[in-house]
Amino acid sequence: MKNIIITILSLFVLSCGGDDNDSTPEINFLSGSWFGSFIDSEDPSSSADQTLLLNNDGTGSVYNDWGDETFQSDLTWTSTSSTISITTLVDNSSNTADYVLSDGYEVLQITTAEGQVIVYIRM
């Protein structure tokens, strides 16, 4: 179950791939360290704190702390002006999600295809 959520979060970060000419300014605004918490969609009694590192070059990492268990993976990511796609390299799992930046690019809200909303704060 926890790997499923990690996979979902990964979809958020690595979106449609393309050449450098397809890049939008948002990739620069998405780059950085982000912190958020979420509840496991399959087990509402289980939640995790997540740290995402999104580098300008489309690489990064994800770290989930479930309290009694952790997950960590390097990742690759891409974005458009409204979607983000992430592929976790530990399991080659990819996910894409919609996103909105707000509060001067300090708050990132990601909405998965399943309708789960995760709010991240820039660290």
PDB file of all heavy atoms in Angstrom, residues 69-109:
ATOM      1  N   GLU A  69       8.214   2.761   9.058  1.00  0.00           N
ATOM      2  CA  GLU A  69       8.785   2.320   7.788  1.00  0.00           C
ATOM      3  C   GLU A  69       9.143   3.559   6.970  1.00  0.00           C
ATOM      4  O   GLU A  69       8.497   4.601   7.095  1.00  0.00           O
ATOM      5  CB  GLU A  69       7.745   1.485   7.038  1.00  0.00           C
ATOM      6  CG  GLU A  69       8.205   0.846   5.780  1.00  0.00           C
ATOM      7  CD  GLU A  69       7.086   0.033   5.132  1.00  0.00           C
ATOM      8  OE1 GLU A  69       6.210  -0.482   5.842  1.00  0.00           O
ATOM      9  OE2 GLU A  69       7.100  -0.048   3.893  1.00  0.00           O
ATOM     10  N   THR A  70      10.184   3.442   6.158  1.00  0.00           N
ATOM     11  CA  THR A  70      10.560   4.549   5.277  1.00  0.00           C
ATOM     12  C   THR A  70      10.711   4.053   3.842  1.00  0.00           C
ATOM     13  O   THR A  70      10.853   2.860   3.600  1.00  0.00           O
ATOM     14  CB  THR A  70      11.885   5.206   5.716  1.00  0.00           C
ATOM     15  OG1 THR A  70      12.924   4.234   5.651  1.00  0.00           O
ATOM     16  CG2 THR A  70      11.778   5.798   7.109  1.00  0.00           C
ATOM     17  N   PHE A  71      10.646   4.988   2.918  1.00  0.00           N
ATOM     18  CA  PHE A  71      10.883   4.716   1.508  1.00  0.00           C
ATOM     19  C   PHE A  71      11.731   5.847   0.972  1.00  0.00           C
ATOM     20  O   PHE A  71      11.467   7.023   1.266  1.00  0.00           O
ATOM     21  CB  PHE A  71       9.563   4.652   0.734  1.00  0.00           C
ATOM     22  CG  PHE A  71       9.757   4.563  -0.759  1.00  0.00           C
ATOM     23  CD1 PHE A  71       9.952   3.346  -1.372  1.00  0.00           C
ATOM     24  CD2 PHE A  71       9.748   5.711  -1.548  1.00  0.00           C
ATOM     25  CE1 PHE A  71      10.136   3.259  -2.750  1.00  0.00           C
ATOM     26  CE2 PHE A  71       9.934   5.636  -2.927  1.00  0.00           C
ATOM     27  CZ  PHE A  71      10.129   4.404  -3.526  1.00  0.00           C
ATOM     28  N   GLN A  72      12.744   5.493   0.180  1.00  0.00           N
ATOM     29  CA  GLN A  72      13.595   6.507  -0.412  1.00  0.00           C
ATOM     30  C   GLN A  72      13.959   6.073  -1.824  1.00  0.00           C
ATOM     31  O   GLN A  72      14.217   4.896  -2.075  1.00  0.00           O
ATOM     32  CB  GLN A  72      14.862   6.698   0.411  1.00  0.00           C
ATOM     33  CG  GLN A  72      15.740   7.804  -0.089  1.00  0.00           C
ATOM     34  CD  GLN A  72      16.864   8.116   0.877  1.00  0.00           C
ATOM     35  OE1 GLN A  72      17.005   7.494   1.918  1.00  0.00           O
ATOM     36  NE2 GLN A  72      17.680   9.080   0.532  1.00  0.00           N
ATOM     37  N   SER A  73      13.973   7.025  -2.757  1.00  0.00           N
ATOM     38  CA  SER A  73      14.348   6.726  -4.131  1.00  0.00           C
ATOM     39  C   SER A  73      14.843   7.980  -4.829  1.00  0.00           C
ATOM     40  O   SER A  73      14.345   9.074  -4.577  1.00  0.00           O
ATOM     41  CB  SER A  73      13.144   6.167  -4.904  1.00  0.00           C
ATOM     42  OG  SER A  73      13.501   5.921  -6.262  1.00  0.00           O
ATOM     43  N   ASP A  74      15.808   7.801  -5.714  1.00  0.00           N
ATOM     44  CA  ASP A  74      16.129   8.845  -6.660  1.00  0.00           C
ATOM     45  C   ASP A  74      14.988   8.880  -7.659  1.00  0.00           C
ATOM     46  O   ASP A  74      14.232   7.901  -7.797  1.00  0.00           O
ATOM     47  CB  ASP A  74      17.450   8.542  -7.364  1.00  0.00           C
ATOM     48  CG  ASP A  74      18.647   8.701  -6.435  1.00  0.00           C
ATOM     49  OD1 ASP A  74      18.572   9.529  -5.502  1.00  0.00           O
ATOM     50  OD2 ASP A  74      19.649   8.001  -6.648  1.00  0.00           O
ATOM     51  N   LEU A  75      14.851   9.989  -8.367  1.00  0.00           N
ATOM     52  CA  LEU A  75      13.754  10.110  -9.323  1.00  0.00           C
ATOM     53  C   LEU A  75      14.157  10.988 -10.485  1.00  0.00           C
ATOM     54  O   LEU A  75      15.164  11.691 -10.445  1.00  0.00           O
ATOM     55  CB  LEU A  75      12.495  10.654  -8.641  1.00  0.00           C
ATOM     56  CG  LEU A  75      12.579  12.035  -7.959  1.00  0.00           C
ATOM     57  CD1 LEU A  75      12.387  13.181  -8.945  1.00  0.00           C
ATOM     58  CD2 LEU A  75      11.536  12.125  -6.865  1.00  0.00           C
ATOM     59  N   THR A  76      13.333  10.915 -11.529  1.00  0.00           N
ATOM     60  CA  THR A  76      13.411  11.866 -12.627  1.00  0.00           C
ATOM     61  C   THR A  76      12.043  12.524 -12.731  1.00  0.00           C
ATOM     62  O   THR A  76      11.038  11.946 -12.324  1.00  0.00           O
ATOM     63  CB  THR A  76      13.779  11.195 -13.966  1.00  0.00           C
ATOM     64  OG1 THR A  76      12.826  10.185 -14.256  1.00  0.00           O
ATOM     65  CG2 THR A  76      15.175  10.591 -13.901  1.00  0.00           C
ATOM     66  N   TRP A  77      12.000  13.744 -13.245  1.00  0.00           N
ATOM     67  CA  TRP A  77      10.739  14.462 -13.335  1.00  0.00           C
ATOM     68  C   TRP A  77      10.738  15.429 -14.507  1.00  0.00           C
ATOM     69  O   TRP A  77      11.778  15.880 -14.966  1.00  0.00           O
ATOM     70  CB  TRP A  77      10.438  15.189 -12.036  1.00  0.00           C
ATOM     71  CG  TRP A  77      11.327  16.371 -11.745  1.00  0.00           C
ATOM     72  CD1 TRP A  77      12.604  16.347 -11.268  1.00  0.00           C
ATOM     73  CD2 TRP A  77      10.991  17.744 -11.913  1.00  0.00           C
ATOM     74  NE1 TRP A  77      13.093  17.621 -11.123  1.00  0.00           N
ATOM     75  CE2 TRP A  77      12.111  18.504 -11.517  1.00  0.00           C
ATOM     76  CE3 TRP A  77       9.861  18.410 -12.357  1.00  0.00           C
ATOM     77  CZ2 TRP A  77      12.134  19.881 -11.548  1.00  0.00           C
ATOM     78  CZ3 TRP A  77       9.872  19.793 -12.386  1.00  0.00           C
ATOM     79  CH2 TRP A  77      11.006  20.513 -11.983  1.00  0.00           C
ATOM     80  N   THR A  78       9.536  15.703 -14.977  1.00  0.00           N
ATOM     81  CA  THR A  78       9.301  16.713 -15.998  1.00  0.00           C
ATOM     82  C   THR A  78       7.991  17.402 -15.647  1.00  0.00           C
ATOM     83  O   THR A  78       7.225  16.915 -14.811  1.00  0.00           O
ATOM     84  CB  THR A  78       9.203  16.120 -17.419  1.00  0.00           C
ATOM     85  OG1 THR A  78       8.107  15.215 -17.456  1.00  0.00           O
ATOM     86  CG2 THR A  78      10.489  15.432 -17.829  1.00  0.00           C
ATOM     87  N   SER A  79       7.735  18.531 -16.310  1.00  0.00           N
ATOM     88  CA  SER A  79       6.477  19.231 -16.052  1.00  0.00           C
ATOM     89  C   SER A  79       6.057  20.036 -17.259  1.00  0.00           C
ATOM     90  O   SER A  79       6.858  20.330 -18.143  1.00  0.00           O
ATOM     91  CB  SER A  79       6.612  20.159 -14.843  1.00  0.00           C
ATOM     92  OG  SER A  79       7.469  21.243 -15.154  1.00  0.00           O
ATOM     93  N   THR A  80       4.779  20.355 -17.277  1.00  0.00           N
ATOM     94  CA  THR A  80       4.234  21.354 -18.179  1.00  0.00           C
ATOM     95  C   THR A  80       3.762  22.480 -17.268  1.00  0.00           C
ATOM     96  O   THR A  80       4.052  22.464 -16.068  1.00  0.00           O
ATOM     97  CB  THR A  80       3.051  20.792 -19.004  1.00  0.00           C
ATOM     98  OG1 THR A  80       1.957  20.550 -18.124  1.00  0.00           O
ATOM     99  CG2 THR A  80       3.443  19.523 -19.742  1.00  0.00           C
ATOM    100  N   SER A  81       2.979  23.397 -17.779  1.00  0.00           N
ATOM    101  CA  SER A  81       2.499  24.494 -16.938  1.00  0.00           C
ATOM    102  C   SER A  81       1.441  24.040 -15.940  1.00  0.00           C
ATOM    103  O   SER A  81       1.116  24.780 -15.012  1.00  0.00           O
ATOM    104  CB  SER A  81       1.949  25.628 -17.801  1.00  0.00           C
ATOM    105  OG  SER A  81       0.862  25.159 -18.566  1.00  0.00           O
ATOM    106  N   SER A  82       0.912  22.811 -16.078  1.00  0.00           N
ATOM    107  CA  SER A  82      -0.136  22.364 -15.154  1.00  0.00           C
ATOM    108  C   SER A  82      -0.041  20.894 -14.739  1.00  0.00           C
ATOM    109  O   SER A  82      -0.834  20.442 -13.927  1.00  0.00           O
ATOM    110  CB  SER A  82      -1.518  22.608 -15.770  1.00  0.00           C
ATOM    111  OG  SER A  82      -1.645  21.849 -16.958  1.00  0.00           O
ATOM    112  N   THR A  83       0.902  20.152 -15.291  1.00  0.00           N
ATOM    113  CA  THR A  83       1.069  18.749 -14.893  1.00  0.00           C
ATOM    114  C   THR A  83       2.514  18.479 -14.522  1.00  0.00           C
ATOM    115  O   THR A  83       3.433  19.143 -14.999  1.00  0.00           O
ATOM    116  CB  THR A  83       0.651  17.765 -16.010  1.00  0.00           C
ATOM    117  OG1 THR A  83       1.491  17.962 -17.141  1.00  0.00           O
ATOM    118  CG2 THR A  83      -0.805  17.917 -16.383  1.00  0.00           C
ATOM    119  N   ILE A  84       2.684  17.506 -13.670  1.00  0.00           N
ATOM    120  CA  ILE A  84       4.004  17.079 -13.256  1.00  0.00           C
ATOM    121  C   ILE A  84       4.035  15.557 -13.311  1.00  0.00           C
ATOM    122  O   ILE A  84       3.047  14.905 -12.986  1.00  0.00           O
ATOM    123  CB  ILE A  84       4.352  17.615 -11.843  1.00  0.00           C
ATOM    124  CG1 ILE A  84       5.781  17.267 -11.471  1.00  0.00           C
ATOM    125  CG2 ILE A  84       3.354  17.140 -10.807  1.00  0.00           C
ATOM    126  CD1 ILE A  84       6.295  18.035 -10.264  1.00  0.00           C
ATOM    127  N   SER A  85       5.151  15.020 -13.761  1.00  0.00           N
ATOM    128  CA  SER A  85       5.319  13.569 -13.840  1.00  0.00           C
ATOM    129  C   SER A  85       6.596  13.185 -13.116  1.00  0.00           C
ATOM    130  O   SER A  85       7.616  13.850 -13.252  1.00  0.00           O
ATOM    131  CB  SER A  85       5.413  13.109 -15.291  1.00  0.00           C
ATOM    132  OG  SER A  85       4.205  13.349 -15.960  1.00  0.00           O
ATOM    133  N   ILE A  86       6.522  12.110 -12.360  1.00  0.00           N
ATOM    134  CA  ILE A  86       7.664  11.615 -11.596  1.00  0.00           C
ATOM    135  C   ILE A  86       7.846  10.138 -11.878  1.00  0.00           C
ATOM    136  O   ILE A  86       6.881   9.381 -11.920  1.00  0.00           O
ATOM    137  CB  ILE A  86       7.447  11.798 -10.082  1.00  0.00           C
ATOM    138  CG1 ILE A  86       7.347  13.258  -9.715  1.00  0.00           C
ATOM    139  CG2 ILE A  86       8.551  11.114  -9.285  1.00  0.00           C
ATOM    140  CD1 ILE A  86       7.006  13.502  -8.266  1.00  0.00           C
ATOM    141  N   THR A  87       9.097   9.733 -12.029  1.00  0.00           N
ATOM    142  CA  THR A  87       9.435   8.318 -12.101  1.00  0.00           C
ATOM    143  C   THR A  87      10.428   8.028 -10.989  1.00  0.00           C
ATOM    144  O   THR A  87      11.509   8.631 -10.943  1.00  0.00           O
ATOM    145  CB  THR A  87      10.058   7.951 -13.464  1.00  0.00           C
ATOM    146  OG1 THR A  87       9.097   8.199 -14.484  1.00  0.00           O
ATOM    147  CG2 THR A  87      10.457   6.487 -13.496  1.00  0.00           C
ATOM    148  N   THR A  88      10.052   7.137 -10.076  1.00  0.00           N
ATOM    149  CA  THR A  88      10.980   6.719  -9.028  1.00  0.00           C
ATOM    150  C   THR A  88      11.889   5.655  -9.624  1.00  0.00           C
ATOM    151  O   THR A  88      11.423   4.708 -10.260  1.00  0.00           O
ATOM    152  CB  THR A  88      10.249   6.182  -7.790  1.00  0.00           C
ATOM    153  OG1 THR A  88       9.331   5.171  -8.177  1.00  0.00           O
ATOM    154  CG2 THR A  88       9.512   7.297  -7.072  1.00  0.00           C
ATOM    155  N   LEU A  89      13.193   5.813  -9.426  1.00  0.00           N
ATOM    156  CA  LEU A  89      14.156   4.939 -10.066  1.00  0.00           C
ATOM    157  C   LEU A  89      14.309   3.604  -9.349  1.00  0.00           C
ATOM    158  O   LEU A  89      14.704   2.617  -9.966  1.00  0.00           O
ATOM    159  CB  LEU A  89      15.499   5.654 -10.191  1.00  0.00           C
ATOM    160  CG  LEU A  89      15.441   6.966 -10.995  1.00  0.00           C
ATOM    161  CD1 LEU A  89      16.831   7.590 -11.090  1.00  0.00           C
ATOM    162  CD2 LEU A  89      14.845   6.743 -12.368  1.00  0.00           C
ATOM    163  N   VAL A  90      13.971   3.541  -8.063  1.00  0.00           N
ATOM    164  CA  VAL A  90      14.117   2.290  -7.323  1.00  0.00           C
ATOM    165  C   VAL A  90      13.182   1.213  -7.866  1.00  0.00           C
ATOM    166  O   VAL A  90      13.511   0.040  -7.862  1.00  0.00           O
ATOM    167  CB  VAL A  90      13.926   2.500  -5.803  1.00  0.00           C
ATOM    168  CG1 VAL A  90      12.474   2.772  -5.466  1.00  0.00           C
ATOM    169  CG2 VAL A  90      14.435   1.314  -5.012  1.00  0.00           C
ATOM    170  N   ASP A  91      12.001   1.617  -8.372  1.00  0.00           N
ATOM    171  CA  ASP A  91      11.047   0.642  -8.901  1.00  0.00           C
ATOM    172  C   ASP A  91      10.558   1.006 -10.300  1.00  0.00           C
ATOM    173  O   ASP A  91       9.671   0.362 -10.840  1.00  0.00           O
ATOM    174  CB  ASP A  91       9.865   0.476  -7.959  1.00  0.00           C
ATOM    175  CG  ASP A  91       9.128   1.779  -7.682  1.00  0.00           C
ATOM    176  OD1 ASP A  91       9.490   2.819  -8.280  1.00  0.00           O
ATOM    177  OD2 ASP A  91       8.204   1.766  -6.866  1.00  0.00           O
ATOM    178  N   ASN A  92      11.144   2.058 -10.896  1.00  0.00           N
ATOM    179  CA  ASN A  92      10.787   2.517 -12.233  1.00  0.00           C
ATOM    180  C   ASN A  92       9.287   2.763 -12.379  1.00  0.00           C
ATOM    181  O   ASN A  92       8.685   2.491 -13.402  1.00  0.00           O
ATOM    182  CB  ASN A  92      11.286   1.548 -13.304  1.00  0.00           C
ATOM    183  CG  ASN A  92      11.479   2.252 -14.628  1.00  0.00           C
ATOM    184  OD1 ASN A  92      11.779   3.435 -14.670  1.00  0.00           O
ATOM    185  ND2 ASN A  92      11.308   1.525 -15.715  1.00  0.00           N
ATOM    186  N   SER A  93       8.681   3.290 -11.332  1.00  0.00           N
ATOM    187  CA  SER A  93       7.251   3.572 -11.308  1.00  0.00           C
ATOM    188  C   SER A  93       7.016   5.034 -11.693  1.00  0.00           C
ATOM    189  O   SER A  93       7.659   5.933 -11.163  1.00  0.00           O
ATOM    190  CB  SER A  93       6.719   3.303  -9.902  1.00  0.00           C
ATOM    191  OG  SER A  93       5.381   3.654  -9.815  1.00  0.00           O
ATOM    192  N   SER A  94       6.080   5.262 -12.618  1.00  0.00           N
ATOM    193  CA  SER A  94       5.805   6.613 -13.098  1.00  0.00           C
ATOM    194  C   SER A  94       4.370   7.021 -12.819  1.00  0.00           C
ATOM    195  O   SER A  94       3.457   6.203 -12.910  1.00  0.00           O
ATOM    196  CB  SER A  94       6.048   6.701 -14.608  1.00  0.00           C
ATOM    197  OG  SER A  94       7.400   6.464 -14.902  1.00  0.00           O
ATOM    198  N   ASN A  95       4.186   8.282 -12.491  1.00  0.00           N
ATOM    199  CA  ASN A  95       2.863   8.851 -12.246  1.00  0.00           C
ATOM    200  C   ASN A  95       2.835  10.292 -12.750  1.00  0.00           C
ATOM    201  O   ASN A  95       3.833  10.997 -12.690  1.00  0.00           O
ATOM    202  CB  ASN A  95       2.525   8.834 -10.754  1.00  0.00           C
ATOM    203  CG  ASN A  95       2.354   7.438 -10.219  1.00  0.00           C
ATOM    204  OD1 ASN A  95       1.500   6.701 -10.678  1.00  0.00           O
ATOM    205  ND2 ASN A  95       3.182   7.057  -9.267  1.00  0.00           N
ATOM    206  N   THR A  96       1.668  10.715 -13.197  1.00  0.00           N
ATOM    207  CA  THR A  96       1.458  12.086 -13.648  1.00  0.00           C
ATOM    208  C   THR A  96       0.264  12.662 -12.902  1.00  0.00           C
ATOM    209  O   THR A  96      -0.718  11.962 -12.670  1.00  0.00           O
ATOM    210  CB  THR A  96       1.200  12.141 -15.167  1.00  0.00           C
ATOM    211  OG1 THR A  96       2.338  11.609 -15.830  1.00  0.00           O
ATOM    212  CG2 THR A  96       0.958  13.566 -15.639  1.00  0.00           C
ATOM    213  N   ALA A  97       0.349  13.943 -12.544  1.00  0.00           N
ATOM    214  CA  ALA A  97      -0.731  14.581 -11.792  1.00  0.00           C
ATOM    215  C   ALA A  97      -0.807  16.062 -12.165  1.00  0.00           C
ATOM    216  O   ALA A  97       0.138  16.625 -12.704  1.00  0.00           O
ATOM    217  CB  ALA A  97      -0.497  14.433 -10.302  1.00  0.00           C
ATOM    218  N   ASP A  98      -1.924  16.667 -11.861  1.00  0.00           N
ATOM    219  CA  ASP A  98      -2.092  18.102 -12.029  1.00  0.00           C
ATOM    220  C   ASP A  98      -1.471  18.813 -10.830  1.00  0.00           C
ATOM    221  O   ASP A  98      -1.437  18.265  -9.724  1.00  0.00           O
ATOM    222  CB  ASP A  98      -3.579  18.460 -12.103  1.00  0.00           C
ATOM    223  CG  ASP A  98      -4.246  17.890 -13.342  1.00  0.00           C
ATOM    224  OD1 ASP A  98      -3.575  17.752 -14.380  1.00  0.00           O
ATOM    225  OD2 ASP A  98      -5.445  17.583 -13.272  1.00  0.00           O
ATOM    226  N   TYR A  99      -1.002  20.042 -11.060  1.00  0.00           N
ATOM    227  CA  TYR A  99      -0.478  20.812  -9.939  1.00  0.00           C
ATOM    228  C   TYR A  99      -0.846  22.287 -10.088  1.00  0.00           C
ATOM    229  O   TYR A  99      -1.135  22.763 -11.174  1.00  0.00           O
ATOM    230  CB  TYR A  99       1.036  20.653  -9.793  1.00  0.00           C
ATOM    231  CG  TYR A  99       1.837  21.461 -10.789  1.00  0.00           C
ATOM    232  CD1 TYR A  99       2.199  22.782 -10.516  1.00  0.00           C
ATOM    233  CD2 TYR A  99       2.238  20.919 -12.002  1.00  0.00           C
ATOM    234  CE1 TYR A  99       2.924  23.532 -11.425  1.00  0.00           C
ATOM    235  CE2 TYR A  99       2.965  21.656 -12.916  1.00  0.00           C
ATOM    236  CZ  TYR A  99       3.308  22.960 -12.617  1.00  0.00           C
ATOM    237  OH  TYR A  99       4.027  23.705 -13.513  1.00  0.00           O
ATOM    238  N   VAL A 100      -0.800  22.969  -8.932  1.00  0.00           N
ATOM    239  CA  VAL A 100      -0.998  24.418  -8.872  1.00  0.00           C
ATOM    240  C   VAL A 100       0.018  24.955  -7.884  1.00  0.00           C
ATOM    241  O   VAL A 100       0.166  24.421  -6.781  1.00  0.00           O
ATOM    242  CB  VAL A 100      -2.429  24.767  -8.391  1.00  0.00           C
ATOM    243  CG1 VAL A 100      -2.576  26.269  -8.200  1.00  0.00           C
ATOM    244  CG2 VAL A 100      -3.472  24.230  -9.351  1.00  0.00           C
ATOM    245  N   LEU A 101       0.714  26.007  -8.281  1.00  0.00           N
ATOM    246  CA  LEU A 101       1.616  26.722  -7.375  1.00  0.00           C
ATOM    247  C   LEU A 101       0.893  27.962  -6.877  1.00  0.00           C
ATOM    248  O   LEU A 101       0.181  28.622  -7.633  1.00  0.00           O
ATOM    249  CB  LEU A 101       2.890  27.138  -8.099  1.00  0.00           C
ATOM    250  CG  LEU A 101       3.909  26.044  -8.354  1.00  0.00           C
ATOM    251  CD1 LEU A 101       4.956  26.513  -9.357  1.00  0.00           C
ATOM    252  CD2 LEU A 101       4.573  25.640  -7.053  1.00  0.00           C
ATOM    253  N   SER A 102       1.082  28.295  -5.593  1.00  0.00           N
ATOM    254  CA  SER A 102       0.447  29.487  -5.038  1.00  0.00           C
ATOM    255  C   SER A 102       1.345  30.111  -3.979  1.00  0.00           C
ATOM    256  O   SER A 102       2.424  29.594  -3.679  1.00  0.00           O
ATOM    257  CB  SER A 102      -0.924  29.132  -4.444  1.00  0.00           C
ATOM    258  OG  SER A 102      -0.789  28.195  -3.406  1.00  0.00           O
ATOM    259  N   ASP A 103       0.881  31.182  -3.398  1.00  0.00           N
ATOM    260  CA  ASP A 103       1.597  31.901  -2.337  1.00  0.00           C
ATOM    261  C   ASP A 103       3.041  32.204  -2.728  1.00  0.00           C
ATOM    262  O   ASP A 103       3.979  31.868  -2.016  1.00  0.00           O
ATOM    263  CB  ASP A 103       1.549  31.128  -1.020  1.00  0.00           C
ATOM    264  CG  ASP A 103       0.163  31.081  -0.421  1.00  0.00           C
ATOM    265  OD1 ASP A 103      -0.665  31.943  -0.765  1.00  0.00           O
ATOM    266  OD2 ASP A 103      -0.116  30.173   0.384  1.00  0.00           O
ATOM    267  N   GLY A 104       3.213  32.838  -3.882  1.00  0.00           N
ATOM    268  CA  GLY A 104       4.554  33.226  -4.323  1.00  0.00           C
ATOM    269  C   GLY A 104       5.438  32.035  -4.610  1.00  0.00           C
ATOM    270  O   GLY A 104       6.631  32.078  -4.337  1.00  0.00           O
ATOM    271  N   TYR A 105       4.861  30.981  -5.139  1.00  0.00           N
ATOM    272  CA  TYR A 105       5.566  29.743  -5.487  1.00  0.00           C
ATOM    273  C   TYR A 105       6.093  29.004  -4.264  1.00  0.00           C
ATOM    274  O   TYR A 105       7.039  28.233  -4.356  1.00  0.00           O
ATOM    275  CB  TYR A 105       6.706  30.008  -6.483  1.00  0.00           C
ATOM    276  CG  TYR A 105       6.242  30.730  -7.708  1.00  0.00           C
ATOM    277  CD1 TYR A 105       6.631  32.051  -7.935  1.00  0.00           C
ATOM    278  CD2 TYR A 105       5.403  30.123  -8.623  1.00  0.00           C
ATOM    279  CE1 TYR A 105       6.192  32.737  -9.062  1.00  0.00           C
ATOM    280  CE2 TYR A 105       4.955  30.802  -9.748  1.00  0.00           C
ATOM    281  CZ  TYR A 105       5.353  32.100  -9.960  1.00  0.00           C
ATOM    282  OH  TYR A 105       4.914  32.770 -11.064  1.00  0.00           O
ATOM    283  N   GLU A 106       5.484  29.233  -3.114  1.00  0.00           N
ATOM    284  CA  GLU A 106       5.906  28.569  -1.880  1.00  0.00           C
ATOM    285  C   GLU A 106       5.012  27.392  -1.510  1.00  0.00           C
ATOM    286  O   GLU A 106       5.343  26.615  -0.624  1.00  0.00           O
ATOM    287  CB  GLU A 106       5.940  29.575  -0.723  1.00  0.00           C
ATOM    288  CG  GLU A 106       6.961  30.686  -0.918  1.00  0.00           C
ATOM    289  CD  GLU A 106       8.388  30.168  -0.996  1.00  0.00           C
ATOM    290  OE1 GLU A 106       8.775  29.346  -0.154  1.00  0.00           O
ATOM    291  OE2 GLU A 106       9.120  30.593  -1.922  1.00  0.00           O
ATOM    292  N   VAL A 107       3.845  27.268  -2.154  1.00  0.00           N
ATOM    293  CA  VAL A 107       2.904  26.172  -1.876  1.00  0.00           C
ATOM    294  C   VAL A 107       2.631  25.444  -3.189  1.00  0.00           C
ATOM    295  O   VAL A 107       2.304  26.069  -4.198  1.00  0.00           O
ATOM    296  CB  VAL A 107       1.589  26.693  -1.267  1.00  0.00           C
ATOM    297  CG1 VAL A 107       0.592  25.553  -1.079  1.00  0.00           C
ATOM    298  CG2 VAL A 107       1.866  27.385   0.064  1.00  0.00           C
ATOM    299  N   LEU A 108       2.773  24.133  -3.148  1.00  0.00           N
ATOM    300  CA  LEU A 108       2.534  23.276  -4.306  1.00  0.00           C
ATOM    301  C   LEU A 108       1.404  22.322  -3.959  1.00  0.00           C
ATOM    302  O   LEU A 108       1.497  21.571  -2.996  1.00  0.00           O
ATOM    303  CB  LEU A 108       3.801  22.480  -4.640  1.00  0.00           C
ATOM    304  CG  LEU A 108       3.704  21.356  -5.665  1.00  0.00           C
ATOM    305  CD1 LEU A 108       3.328  21.913  -7.040  1.00  0.00           C
ATOM    306  CD2 LEU A 108       5.026  20.594  -5.736  1.00  0.00           C
ATOM    307  N   GLN A 109       0.323  22.393  -4.725  1.00  0.00           N
ATOM    308  CA  GLN A 109      -0.808  21.487  -4.512  1.00  0.00           C
ATOM    309  C   GLN A 109      -0.867  20.530  -5.693  1.00  0.00           C
ATOM    310  O   GLN A 109      -0.984  20.960  -6.838  1.00  0.00           O
ATOM    311  CB  GLN A 109      -2.114  22.258  -4.408  1.00  0.00           C
ATOM    312  CG  GLN A 109      -3.315  21.346  -4.223  1.00  0.00           C
ATOM    313  CD  GLN A 109      -4.586  22.136  -4.050  1.00  0.00           C
ATOM    314  OE1 GLN A 109      -4.664  23.022  -3.203  1.00  0.00           O
ATOM    315  NE2 GLN A 109      -5.579  21.831  -4.863  1.00  0.00           N
TER     316      GLN A 109
END
